[in-house]
Amino acid sequence: MPGTATPSARAFYHVAVPLPLRSPFIYSAPKDGTPVLPGMRVLVPFGARRITGYVIGLAQAADAEGFRVRPIARVLDAVPSLDASLLEFLRRAAEYYMHPLGEVLRAALPPGINPFEKAGQFHEARIRQKFETVFTARPMPEDAAQEMQRRAKTRWAVYTHIAAHPGISSAALRSRWSTCAAHLRRLTDDGWLDAQQQPVVGDLFAGLDIAPDTPPTLTDEQAAATDAIVAQIRTGQYGGFLLHGVTGSGKTEVYLQAIAAAREMGRGALVLVPEITLTPQLVRRYMARFGTELAVWHSGLSDRARYDAWQRLRSGEVKMVIGVRSAVFAPLDNPGVIIVDEEHDTSFKQETGFAYHARDLAVLRASMSQSAVILGSATPSLESRHNADAGKLRRLALVTRATQRPLPHIEIIDLTQHRSGPGGQTLLSAPLHRAISETLSRQEQVILFLNRRGFAPTLLCRDCGEAIRCAHCAVSLTYHTHPRGLVCHYCDHRQSVPERCPACAGTALHPVGIGTQKAEEILRELFPAARIARLDRDVGSGARAEAVLDALRREEVDILVGTQMVTKGHDFPKVTLVGVLQGDVGLHMPDFRAGEKTFQLLTQVAGRAGRSTHPGRAIIQTFNPQHPAIAAAQHHDYARFAAQELVDRAELGYPPFGKMVAIRFNSTDADAVEAAAKGLAQHLRNAAKATGTDVTLLGPTPSPLSLLQGRHRWHLLLKSPRQDWNRRLLLAVVEAIEAPPKGVRIHVDIDPFSML
Ligand code: ADP
Ligand code: ZN
């Protein structure tokens, strides 16, 4: 009825809320008449609370009929937080992963920007902002300069330093001249300096002082790859590439050239890297080429720094971001190229909550934004390999190292033949011991890799055979010596070392097995003259880990022993020997990707050796020398490994041939979780029968990690040739998934990685 004040004259909006509710809610326009646009954050009444939601779009009046529609309480954005293309990308992501859109949108925005309500009081979210004073120099006439040089040497030094470093902070100046405050005041008062207040960015990467580089002459292989990618970028159309390049083949240079091509077209660039490789060393390479016009996105950022990075991107101030997994959601306008380095790396997979795979979303985002996508790796995932075989990705190969260094020679040591080495210890076989001695005598460096931190993986009672276990998880506690105690590597529960066995009260508790702390101790005994350092999560991450790697780089360390953290990172020219102490650690995991992960890891580790002028060598100790993953790694034979593994996967219908979904159940109540898993399985079987869908159900079974953080766990796997078949089946039981039995949580993981 036109002209009358019926509800249909009001505007209605679909609003997604960050709660495990699949469909958006409908609200009417705010009473104060503030304009509402899709992508804006709004405060909406929800039950008795008010929560932040995200406007998805206009709703029809008919959609609102029959509901008590309440108005939006407040519009939180003047411009939408999410632009239309990002909103659409996230909508598609939420749909693919069957995850509530509101939660997906929240995951895509920097934390801490939302206002919140506490005890009935509404609080504007204020990300704490710290300011510092920064200085720039004004030109000084010659006579004044000479006068100051003569009469106030320190003040002159401060002034010239600022002139050479415009925007330098007072903190940085104070660290150089502890008494510079008076000079700064005087210089400012005399008009030679400009002082400004600027927000502090708490960032490992801020203030890197970087000299610009000149691009090297590309190798023929690099040039061919670059030409293909640049040609694609210039078309302004989507195109996907698999850049398969051996370690040290110069993939980064190809990325840099691709980014330059995108920038020439006025488009942006998004670079995703594994958390572990996002080091100042790496960022430096990008800054050396493109200056500081880039945002760095990693988990160590403060909320403030993350928000700043997000703002700089959203405002278009910077058009390039390098970051970890979640950077795939960066508000980058119009990316021309999206790069996923080490695309096989498992850290791109989010395991909890919105369980997305950043590599797969990178491909989706590229296709939606008509940009090129480059998946780079020395050991491509079988999924990407398969996509290349199927023509979905164009394969570009770099088979030689850019520096023309040969790949390291890899030797396999059969531990069944070398039970113990010099001194009777079981850490180093005689051949590896000898190789270390030789390397040290040439003044070269050694990296030793052991995928277990702590001192010993178990504290075992020799009387009754019990291992001391975590009270909350179905795993044994790891014995640590610095500081001394037992630690659960799954939930971080810590306890002191008991005097007596909790099971039999005996006193025969002994550490069994070797972790990095014990390895370090043994190495000190075997090589007393060597400078030995350790790197694992107990040493620290971020700046602390960097300090250890810097010491290695400066050749202040002869032997570095550690976990995964030593396997990535950048060139250490004097590292000529890499030893893998237990090459089969991951091989016996209940995971169909165990072989693939082992192959990738061994290739990665071995690739650390001999990257510069000194030839490199890698030694892998293993109890399974014949295993295909280990044999293929020894011969740098990705093709053979992939071919064999793909045959096996095809036979079993595993990815990349079959598509999987994991449904995980957990509860503090063991019976409730079992009943829930069995109930849903039955429900799914019925639905499969009713709809005639060809989906295989595996399980339900207790998860291999059957207790975690005090919660009992079961899982159920779906496997079928097509993901939409799985999805259709899940949609048939979606109500049961959304409303699990009391006390039970259900998590759906599309294309799961973890089988634990
Ligand atoms: P990848 O990422 O493939 O392991 P990098 O990009 O780290 O390899 O390159 C390995 C080394 O080779 C680096 O030190 C890099 O500076 C150097 N490099 C790359 N391209 C060239 C080139 N065209 N000429 C000379 N050196 C190069
Ligand atoms: Zn635990």
Side-chain angles (χ1 to χ4, degrees), residues 407-415 418 429-436 438-439 442 448 576-584 602-603 605-607 609 615-626 629-636:
L407 286 167
H409 179 74
I410 303 181
E411 292 153 61
I412 304 286
I413 304 299
D414 182 352
L415 289 178
H418 296 269
S429 60
L432 179 55
H433 183 273
R434 205 177 316 119
I436 295 174
E438 287 164 11
T439 307
R442 286 195 306 269
L448 297 175
T576 54
L577 174 65
V578 167
V580 177
L581 299 173
Q582 297 177 354
D584 24 32
L602 295 179
T603 304
V605 181
R617 175 179 183 197
I619 296 181
I620 299 171
Q621 301 190 138
T622 172
F623 286 101
N624 297 273
Q626 312 297 342
I630 291 177
Q634 177 182 12
H635 297 106
H636 305 285

Side-chain angles (χ1 to χ4, degrees), residues 157 187 212 277 301 321 339 358 387 395 401-402 416 421 434 455 458 504 512 523 533 540 543 570 618 629 646 670 755:
L187 284 164
T277 67
L301 288 183
V321 55
I339 293 159
N387 283 334
R395 185 166 171 274
R401 283 184 159 182
T416 63
R434 205 177 316 119
F455 188 82
T458 27
C504 74
V512 175
L523 288 165
H570 290 273
L646 284 171
M755 293 291 136

Side-chain angles (χ1 to χ4, degrees), residues 378-452:
T379 52
S381 64
L382 292 179
E383 283 82 356
S384 295
R385 167 69 189 220
H386 182 64
N387 283 334
D389 290 345
K392 290 186 195 162
L393 298 170
R394 272 159 73 190
R395 185 166 171 274
L396 303 168
L398 309 176
V399 302
T400 51
R401 283 184 159 182
T403 47
Q404 309 304 328
R405 303 315 308 168
L407 286 167
H409 179 74
I410 303 181
E411 292 153 61
I412 304 286
I413 304 299
D414 182 352
L415 289 178
T416 63
Q417 303 298 314
H418 296 269
R419 295 254 166 197
S420 60
Q425 45 74 36
T426 54
L427 183 74
L428 304 178
S429 60
L432 179 55
H433 183 273
R434 205 177 316 119
I436 295 174
S437 303
E438 287 164 11
T439 307
L440 296 179
S441 70
R442 286 195 306 269
Q443 322 286 314
E444 293 170 1
Q445 296 169 293
V446 181
I447 290 180
L448 297 175
F449 167 69
L450 177 63
N451 216 4
R452 275 182 180 150

